[in-house]
Amino acid sequence: MNGVARFARTSRALHWTMAAMVLAMLFIGMSMVASLGAYHSLLSVHRPLGILVLVFVVVRFVNRQIHPPPPFLQDMSSRERIVASASERLLYLLMFLQPLVGWGMLSAARYPIVLFGPVHLPPILPHDLRLYEILRSTHTALAYGLCLTFMGHLCGVLFHTIVLRDRLLRRMAP
Amino acid sequence: MALQFLLPDGEEWRTAMVDTPVFAVSTPEAFRDQLVAMAPDPATGNADPVKMKAFFARHPESARAAERIKAQTPSSGFHDSTYGSLNAFVFVDGGGRRTPVRWWMVPVQPFESATPPPPAGVPNYLFDALATRLRQQPLQWHLVLTVGQPRDPTNDATIPWPPDRDRIDAGILTIDTMEGEEASLARTVNFDPLVLPDGIESSDDPLLSARSAVYSASFRRRAGEPVSASAVTNTEVEVSGP
Ligand code: HEM
């Protein structure tokens, strides 16, 4: 156990909760647009869960200022450190933008943004179909971006854990 | 007929209805089969009767629905048509009690049967007739809720509910003005049947989620297209307000 500086407990909890939420969101999103029968029920989960991701990402960002990540493993090269922090920033950015774009595109299409029962969010953009189409395509592009960045993140961790066996995963393990 | 109700707390109810007694198919799969069967034969320009027959043989519920639809006398215009939700929905009261409901917009204007053939070379004659009527007086419809009984089918829009079901007159819609397509929400709002306020829910009718999915895909494609000229323009249907 000794020798590996770990992320703070709140950081670890937020990390794994959000990992599950975002992964679920990607699968829900991809399945619902390919489904007729499950479209409505999946979208009814997609909206509130997506907004929850937005809330969590803000909380997580604040948490990161309070509990900065532990220093990198000593034998990571400076190039690898740059890639690692850049990919983390990219993940934060995508997790923040994606739900905002989802909310924005529904606003631009003038859909009510229902979370559950009578609870709904106000529109954040004017009713504009052009804007809707742009944001709707952005939502797809950002979803691909999230998938790819997530895969890169996963591959990096797997490489460290299986090939280098440097206990990198210990830092974030629950 | 498509309606958008904006509730005071920001909730919304959208409904798109048609003037048939039942819907032609009961599942999205049957809808697809019907489209394939109806595809015009390049040789004749019409649907292939053999394929249509095979479709009805495979979907007897659609054959019965087609008979019911054909049996209804067409009305003379938009003003004297009855428009129905056809799909069943579930109304939920404050105590959580669930009631299956279908709704209808029933015209106050007396029914007149259509006098065929329609005028040649006037593609918008139905809209023009509506505008002419509106210049004289507002038009009205009753919103009538048909209350289903527990055994009434909610998952099959090809089957009408028995005629003796309770009907609740829930209000009157008055139309007193008309605008062309270019200004209208018909273009810029998706009349998704599952945009519902708290208290109205989807039933187990499989067409509802499928309609929602398909409307969304088509709405998105339309949003990406250049805006085409309106078929029914503002000047054509202008109603100088009463
Ligand atoms: C982390 C957050 C989110 C992720 C990962 C995500 C992911 C996705 C994915 C993968 C799709 C399918 C895209 C496609 O294949 O075209 C999608 C579609 C969609 N998302 Fe999200 N989404 C998120 C947040 C949101 C939020 C917050 C909302 C709304 C409040 C939202 C509303 C929608 C809608 C309406 C669709 C498309 C439905 C349609 O066009 O029929 N999403 N999302």
Side-chain angles (χ1 to χ4, degrees), chain A residues 18 21-34 39 43 46-54 94-106 111 113-115 121 132 136-137 139-144 146-147, chain B residues 212-217 220:
Chain A
M18 285 202 68
M21 279 163 54
V22 172
L23 207 58
M25 281 301 287
L26 286 169
F27 278 106
I28 293 172
M30 290 184 279
S31 333
M32 76 188 180
V33 293
Y39 174 83
L43 184 54
H46 191 85
R47 278 183 311 244
L49 191 56
I51 295 299
L52 206 59
V53 169
L54 183 60
L94 287 171
M95 288 187 301
F96 178 66
L97 284 182
Q98 179 69 338
L100 261 192
V101 169
W103 184 357
M105 76 192 189
L106 291 184
Y111 284 106
I113 300 138
V114 178
L115 297 185
L121 293 173
Y132 161 67
R136 181 62 187 77
S137 301
H139 201 66
T140 305
L142 291 182
Y144 277 108
L146 253 179
C147 275
Chain B
S212 196
V214 172
Y215 284 26
S216 167
R220 180 190 176 182

Side-chain angles (χ1 to χ4, degrees), chain A residues 134-169:
Chain A
I134 292 166
L135 292 174
R136 181 62 187 77
S137 301
T138 308
H139 201 66
T140 305
L142 291 182
Y144 277 108
L146 253 179
C147 275
L148 291 176
T149 319
F150 167 72
M151 297 287 265
H153 181 76
L154 189 70
C155 286
V157 175
L158 284 177
F159 182 72
H160 274 272
T161 306
I162 297 171
V163 180
L164 301 179
R165 303 194 179 198
D166 56 9
R167 301 173 77 201
L168 174 105
L169 188 55

Side-chain angles (χ1 to χ4, degrees), chain A residues 7-77:
Chain A
F7 279 88
R9 186 187 292 273
T10 48
S11 310
R12 298 195 313 259
L14 282 166
H15 172 272
W16 293 108
T17 320
M18 285 202 68
M21 279 163 54
V22 172
L23 207 58
M25 281 301 287
L26 286 169
F27 278 106
I28 293 172
M30 290 184 279
S31 333
M32 76 188 180
V33 293
S35 166
L36 293 176
Y39 174 83
H40 177 66
S41 35
L42 287 176
L43 184 54
S44 308
V45 176
H46 191 85
R47 278 183 311 244
L49 191 56
I51 295 299
L52 206 59
V53 169
L54 183 60
V55 173
F56 265 62
V57 82
V58 172
V59 171
R60 196 166 169 195
F61 184 78
V62 173
N63 176 72
R64 196 177 163 102
Q65 311 310 308
I66 302 171
H67 303 289
F72 285 109
L73 294 180
Q74 270 164 14
D75 42 9
M76 268 171 78
S77 70

Side-chain angles (χ1 to χ4, degrees), chain B:
Chain B
M1 176 182 281
L3 296 177
Q4 179 189 36
F5 297 87
L6 299 171
L7 278 59
D9 65 351
E11 282 193 275
E12 207 171 315
W13 178 21
R14 296 181 188 171
T15 170
M17 296 158 285
V18 290
D19 67 336
T20 57
V22 288
F23 196 60
V25 294
S26 64
T27 61
E29 293 75 17
F31 188 72
R32 181 196 151 275
D33 289 353
Q34 189 197 32
L35 287 181
V36 172
M38 275 171 28
D41 181 341
T44 63
N46 290 322
D48 180 346
V50 178
K51 284 192 187 148
M52 281 312 287
K53 226 176 136 188
F55 166 75
F56 283 130
R58 229 171 325 121
H59 293 286
E61 75 286 0
S62 289
R64 285 189 292 272
E67 272 164 34
R68 288 209 164 87
I69 293 169
K70 227 185 277 165
Q72 175 176 287
T73 318
S75 68
S76 64
F78 291 140
H79 69 284
D80 59 347
S81 287
T82 297
Y83 304 92
S85 68
L86 309 191
N87 299 116
F89 292 78
V90 178
F91 281 27
V92 187
D93 72 11
R97 212 167 51 114
R98 304 167 63 80
T99 309
V101 167
R102 285 173 171 172
W103 58 79
W104 308 90
M105 296 305 294
V106 180
V108 171
Q109 295 69 239
F111 178 86
E112 292 160 53
S113 58
T115 44
V122 195
N124 293 343
Y125 73 97
L126 286 171
F127 291 95
D128 297 341
L130 189 66
T132 306
R133 277 180 190 275
L134 275 175
R135 283 183 203 113
Q136 287 148 14
Q137 68 183 81
L139 299 171
Q140 293 190 315
W141 280 261
H142 288 274
L143 167 58
V144 175
L145 311 174
T146 307
V147 183
Q149 298 281 322
R151 289 263 177 76
D152 291 340
T154 51
N155 63 353
D156 190 339
T158 63
I159 303 179
W161 286 347
D164 62 349
R165 290 295 175 258
D166 280 350
R167 290 159 75 85
I168 297 172
D169 188 343
I172 290 184
L173 167 78
T174 303
I175 297 184
D176 56 12
T177 182
M178 187 167 167
E179 56 188 6
E181 229 182 353
E182 63 267 50
S184 124
L185 287 179
R187 263 195 173 168
T188 56
V189 165
N190 173 3
F191 283 88
D192 178 334
L194 292 180
V195 169
L196 299 168
D198 193 32
I200 307 183
E201 290 176 10
S202 176
S203 68
D204 55 353
D205 185 334
L207 290 175
L208 282 171
S209 177
R211 279 177 68 189
S212 196
V214 172
Y215 284 26
S216 167
S218 96
F219 182 70
R220 180 190 176 182
R221 287 194 199 176
R222 250 188 304 140
E225 285 173 2
V227 180
S228 52
S230 303
V232 179
T233 61
N234 265 340
T235 35
E236 183 178 355
V237 298
E238 199 179 4
V239 177
S240 38

